[in-house]
């Protein structure tokens, strides 16, 4: 408890008066630890190996941090395939910021952006037609098996034409369709053409942890196949730990998606980016610290004049003192703990406010949208 109180005082110092807000956030020399466990390194290798079989890349990112936090290690892959950026959890982001976000992303080279809400399937139906159009229009859509089938089709067409114009033998009778000149070649050509027309779309889904990649796949299956979950989802980062097999999400066109584990860069050089990723759940809370995360969240809410937390927790007015806010959160949510205190007359059990639990509730309320729709970028 003593450590927590010290951390809160240091984070809030110098203590501003109620109603005045900090112009910048002081990290106090602290760092945001990167989270790059073994399954991320393995998943990154598998993703690179799967790229040669992918017709298109769907990059899923959190709509609350649309301009920051995208893994630069994945950027090298985006230039060699058609690319769709899906900004998921749009129901938690500020809709007034969408035009500015789209303009900024367009300047960065992202011209195909879809905002989605996979919990309610919002805008998800736009993805399949967009991917089909991009793949169909792209000169990169010439995988080895398709190219070989095209070459085989050309050979069969020439064989059919030669067989049809070949002089008929004396006494020839057309007794059955299968005895026609070139019938076998025509049948083989029909099979190859059918293969070419029904060649499936293989889509690789990439992104940082806990942005809703698996939820997107399940949402697409609900919409187009009327089927349930094909891959596990969770509110914590790291649920998907390996590159999975192909999962069908659509029948016409035949489309398969491959779910991949969320991958962060091994090192986060920008503290602001790391803090935003942590607030959105891409980095485990304990690696950053709930105390400084809660304080940074309060700083951001005040900076953007998002004061819904005042009414939600019953505060009299907006406040920039994280300790005062967490005290109110603990009282409102009933977050207390029993502490044994040593006195001259013996041990005394006291009920005290549980500040770590209050910080966790503050973060959880933000992630659930109970403090308003907030875009951190």
């Amino acid at each position: 408890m003593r450590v927590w109180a010290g951390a809160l005082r240091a984070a809030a110092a110098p203590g501003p008066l109620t109603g005045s807000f900090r112009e910048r956030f002081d990290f106090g020399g602290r760092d945001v630890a990167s989270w790059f466990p073994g399954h991320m390194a393995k998943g990154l290798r598998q993703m690179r190996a799967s790229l040669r079989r992918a017709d298109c890349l769907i990059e899923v990112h959190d709509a609350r941090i649309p301009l920051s936090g995208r893994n630069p290690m994945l950027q090298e892959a985006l230039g060699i395939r058609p690319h769709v950026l899906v900004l998921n959890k749009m129901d938690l982001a500020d809709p007034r910021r969408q035009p500015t976000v789209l303009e900024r992303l367009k300047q960065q080279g992202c011209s195909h952006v879809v905002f989605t809400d996979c919990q309610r399937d919002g805008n998800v139906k736009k993805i399949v037609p967009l991917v089909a159009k991009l793949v169909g229009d792209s000169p990169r859509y010439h995988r080895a098996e398709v190219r070989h089938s095209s070459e085989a089709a050309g050979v069969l067409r020439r064989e059919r034409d030669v067989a049809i114009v070949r002089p008929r033998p004396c006494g020839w009778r057309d007794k059955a369709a299968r005895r026609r000149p070139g019938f076998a070649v025509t049948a083989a050509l029909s099979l190859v053409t059918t293969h070419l027309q029904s060649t499936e779309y293989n889509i690789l889904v990439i992104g940082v942890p806990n942005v809703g990649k698996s939820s997107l796949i399940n949402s697409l299956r609900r919409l187009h196949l009327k089927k349930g979950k094909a891959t596990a989802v969770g509110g914590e980062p790291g649920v998907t730990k390996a590159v999975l097999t192909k999962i069908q999400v659509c029948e016409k066109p035949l489309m398969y998606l491959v779910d991949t584990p969320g991958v962060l860069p091994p090192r986060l050089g920008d503290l602001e980016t790391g803090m935003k990723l942590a607030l959105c759940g891409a980095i485990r809370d304990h690696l950053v610290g709930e105390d400084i995360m809660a304080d940074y969240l309060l700083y951001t809410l005040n900076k953007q004049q998002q004061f819904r937390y005042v009414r939600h927790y019953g505060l009299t007015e907006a406040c920039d003192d994280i300790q005062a806010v967490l005290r109110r959160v603990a009282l409102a949510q009933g977050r207390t703990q029993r502490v044994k205190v040593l006195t001259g007359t013996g041990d005394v059990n006291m009920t005290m406010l549980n500040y770590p639990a209050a910080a966790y509730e503050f973060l959880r309320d933000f992630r659930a949208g109970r403090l308003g729709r907030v875009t951190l970028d």
Side-chain angles (χ1 to χ4, degrees), residues 280-292:
C280 292
I283 303 176
R284 291 190 181 276
D285 293 347
H286 71 272
L287 295 174
V288 181
E290 289 90 343
D291 55 346
I292 193 169

Side-chain angles (χ1 to χ4, degrees), residues 60 284 303:
V60 185
R284 291 190 181 276
K303 183 180 179 180

Side-chain angles (χ1 to χ4, degrees), residues 140-273:
R140 304 182 188 93
Y141 184 53
H142 293 298
R143 294 170 295 166
E145 60 268 28
V146 176
R147 183 173 62 252
H148 294 159
S149 297
S150 301
E151 295 170 354
V155 172
L156 288 173
R157 288 191 185 97
R158 290 192 293 272
E159 290 290 335
R160 179 196 61 186
D161 295 340
V162 169
I164 291 175
V165 301
R166 185 178 296 136
R168 296 174 179 176
C170 183
W172 178 86
R173 294 291 184 272
D174 188 8
K175 294 182 178 179
R178 65 179 180 275
R179 297 177 66 88
R180 291 173 185 162
F183 172 79
V185 180
T186 303
L189 175 61
S190 177
L191 290 175
V192 173
T193 304
T194 302
H195 168 71
L196 286 173
Q197 293 174 346
S198 64
T199 299
E200 70 267 15
Y201 295 72
N202 290 320
I203 316 299
L204 197 64
V205 182
I206 62 176
V208 299
N210 203 27
V211 292
K213 296 182 293 297
S214 300
S215 296
L216 175 65
I217 292 178
N218 293 332
S219 180
L220 287 168
R221 283 174 60 84
R222 282 196 304 271
L223 283 173
H224 298 285
L225 297 179
K226 309 302 181 185
K227 293 186 178 180
K229 292 183 179 180
T231 180
V233 298
E236 290 288 327
V239 174
T240 304
K241 290 185 168 59
V243 175
L244 302 180
T245 56
K246 295 193 302 184
I247 301 171
Q248 184 179 353
V249 296
C250 189
E251 187 69 38
K252 293 181 180 180
L254 185 58
M255 186 174 294
Y256 294 89
L257 266 62
V258 178
D259 195 10
T260 64
V263 177
L264 289 168
R267 181 70 182 171
L268 293 173
D270 184 0
L271 290 175
E272 293 272 352
T273 298

Side-chain angles (χ1 to χ4, degrees), residues 14-54:
L17 298 175
T18 302
S20 63
F21 306 122
R22 291 164 286 182
E23 295 183 358
R24 66 180 184 86
F25 188 81
D26 182 12
F27 288 94
R30 296 180 64 170
D31 194 6
V32 178
S34 293
W35 185 48
F36 196 75
H39 78 264
M40 285 191 186
K42 179 182 178 181
L44 188 59
R45 290 193 300 269
Q46 292 175 331
M47 287 161 58
R48 285 171 173 161
S50 300
L51 274 176
R52 54 190 172 88
R53 298 190 298 272

